[in-house]
Amino acid sequence: MTYVLGIDIGGTHVTAAASRLVDGAWKRPAPVRLRGDTDEAPAVLHVGPDGGLQVGDPAERGPVLRPGVIAREFAGRIGADAPVLLRGERWSPQTLTAIVARRVTDLIRAREGDPPVRVVLAHPATFTAHHVSALRAALADVGLAAEPLPEPVLAAEGHSARGGKSAPALAVLTVGGTGYEASVITRTNPITYAVRATRTGAQQIGGADLDEALAHHALEQLRKEIGRLDPADERELRILHDLRAECRYTREQLSHVDDAEIILPLHPGETRLTVTRTQLDQLLRPLLDHPAATLARVVAAAGVPPHHLGGILLTGGVGHTPLLATLVAEHLPGVTPLPPGGQTLVAEGAAAVAAQLAAGLHDSPPPGGRGKAVWEPEPGQEPSVLPAPAPGNRAPLPDPPPRPPVKISTPDLPGRRPRKNATNFG
């Protein structure tokens, strides 16, 4: 069956969505299961036993790997001069990002039996032409024809694809695993959005920081049972890793229930700690106030009166946290937060735009060139309110050093480590 693909690679996880051509019409995009029972997989690469790069976090099912054989949080560093070192080899962040995108595409192709006719890949709206060019080149190097487009535009497209009401202007706040981005986008015609203003905060806050705050609270409460943990000790490193994973799971549960348990397996037995949503809100309020305040500043910088906004989209893994919606409403009174988009909204929007491209509703960028994209900044405006290097002053990216071939295997991505009394939330 003919299909298109949208991919969103965040700081900690990757999601994908597909739209299928049925009876001459493109259907609403749907998330793609990347492993077992979830729509996400770790945006992590590690050196496998054969020396090739493999996608996934071995710590979910095996040992916790030390830096130097595992790479995380590289998607947001595209275009940076500092390479990522894996077993002594230098890898650019954009190359690692492209490898994950290619791996996801190959995984879905193996299931479908055919390649997608179009692929759209999300990138932060704060990316300059320098960043996008670096990403395009890396995608070409791994043999993946994909169109990079800004996350807030794709979030709005995902909202529309789900049946959300169209609006001339929207505010978008994405809070992912390792950071956040606040944007205002405006419609320039019935099927095109423009990024009016966007920025990240001076202090990046993401889901990992929230989990760390909850883990610190848990360690203080459980100090008598587990003592002080030394990350240099392999067994205690495993306890710390499991604790952070438990804290993420508990934090996500508390978006839906009033109390939940952190369950920490120890030897012998296990330790449990009950956390209420009120306790969690007290821990997270100082952290989540940063992205909410940044969004208010971006709305002011965009020159769009708050009452002209059609709403606020909260996306990313933290987007469904009730406290975040509360804080946004405090900073932007009178503007309605729309239903949380969740982890897959951007990927669904990317698939929707890929379907538009396949249907010929937009001009396709020529191979290796920028062309006319689905979004464009408004005349006389940069797509970011942050200062960016002048085009003539942007240093070219260095050529990547020689490296061994990338081995991309075909089995499904690894699933989450089984856990007692776990409940999945969609």
Side-chain angles (χ1 to χ4, degrees):
M1 181 178 291
T2 302
Y3 69 100
V4 295
L5 189 61
I7 302 174
D8 179 24
I9 302 174
T12 56
H13 289 84
V14 53
T15 56
S19 176
R20 304 175 190 281
L21 185 64
V22 180
D23 297 329
W26 290 100
K27 296 302 181 181
R28 171 179 162 176
V32 176
R33 293 290 174 93
L34 295 181
R35 56 177 180 165
D37 59 351
T38 65
D39 299 326
E40 62 180 35
V44 175
L45 285 164
H46 65 277
V47 179
D50 60 355
L53 290 185
Q54 298 180 5
V55 178
D57 189 350
E60 291 189 329
R61 299 181 300 178
V64 180
L65 299 183
R66 300 286 184 176
V69 294
I70 191 166
R72 309 175 188 271
E73 304 176 14
F74 41 78
R77 296 165 51 197
I78 289 173
D81 293 333
V84 179
L85 294 178
L86 288 172
R87 285 267 175 91
E89 298 289 338
R90 296 160 56 90
W91 298 81
S92 70
Q94 55 268 21
T95 296
L96 298 179
T97 304
I99 290 171
V100 174
R102 174 62 191 266
R103 173 67 181 92
V104 169
T105 304
D106 288 349
L107 176 71
I108 297 168
R109 176 178 181 170
R111 294 176 184 170
E112 298 289 334
D114 291 297
V117 295
R118 282 282 189 175
V119 179
V120 168
L121 176 64
H123 69 72
T126 48
F127 273 17
T128 65
H130 169 74
H131 297 93
V132 175
S133 176
L135 179 56
R136 284 183 186 279
L139 292 167
D141 286 344
V142 299
L144 180 60
E147 173 67 6
L149 293 172
E151 289 175 7
V153 168
L154 300 180
E157 294 287 356
H159 174 68
S160 297
R162 290 180 178 180
K165 184 179 179 181
S166 180
L170 287 170
V172 182
L173 178 60
T174 300
V175 186
T178 58
Y180 68 89
E181 183 177 76
S183 305
V184 171
I185 59 174
T186 55
R187 274 207 180 275
T188 55
N189 63 53
I191 62 169
T192 304
Y193 280 104
V195 179
R196 183 75 174 245
T198 184
R199 72 179 302 161
T200 58
Q203 181 177 358
Q204 274 297 330
I205 301 295
D209 300 286
L210 309 185
D211 300 339
E212 194 67 29
L214 183 54
H216 180 76
H217 169 76
L219 284 173
E220 290 300 317
Q221 298 299 313
L222 299 174
R223 186 70 67 190
K224 183 176 180 180
E225 289 86 347
I226 63 178
R228 295 189 177 275
L229 299 179
D230 180 10
D233 182 276
E234 292 294 334
R235 176 181 171 275
E236 296 185 2
L237 177 64
R238 163 54 67 182
I239 293 174
L240 285 170
H241 179 275
D242 290 347
L243 175 61
R244 292 188 181 99
E246 278 293 309
C247 287
R248 182 194 177 204
Y249 182 77
T250 302
R251 172 176 60 81
E252 291 174 348
Q253 278 190 309
L254 288 172
S255 294
H256 308 272
V257 299
D258 292 330
D259 60 78
E261 282 188 325
I262 296 174
I263 305 173
L264 189 60
L266 297 173
H267 183 71
E270 62 185 18
T271 297
R272 295 170 177 256
L273 175 68
T274 298
V275 180
T276 67
R277 183 185 291 184
T278 299
Q279 289 175 314
L280 184 68
D281 286 354
Q282 290 174 346
L283 290 171
L284 303 189
R285 175 174 278 269
L287 297 173
L288 288 179
D289 191 65
H290 287 278
T294 299
L295 180 64
R297 290 194 293 270
V298 169
V299 169
V304 177
H307 63 275
H308 285 176
L309 291 172
I312 301 170
L313 277 175
L314 303 178
T315 72
V318 184
H320 55 69
T321 304
L323 177 62
L324 182 62
T326 299
L327 293 171
V328 166
E330 291 177 2
H331 284 278
L332 287 168
V335 186
T336 305
L338 300 170
Q343 190 86 353
T344 64
L345 181 69
V346 172
E348 291 173 42
V353 172
Q356 294 171 11
L357 287 166
L361 298 180
H362 305 288
D363 292 339
S364 300
R370 179 68 176 89
K372 179 183 178 183
V374 178
W375 73 281
E376 292 290 351
E378 295 188 0
Q381 287 192 332
E382 285 292 324
S384 171
V385 297
L386 298 177
N393 295 331
R394 291 177 185 146
L397 292 174
D399 292 332
R403 57 177 65 95
V406 178
K407 298 179 176 64
I408 302 178
S409 55
T410 54
D412 280 357
L413 295 169
R416 177 177 176 173
R417 181 171 52 85
R419 172 199 154 152
K420 282 185 180 180
N421 303 324
T423 302
N424 289 326
F425 293 92

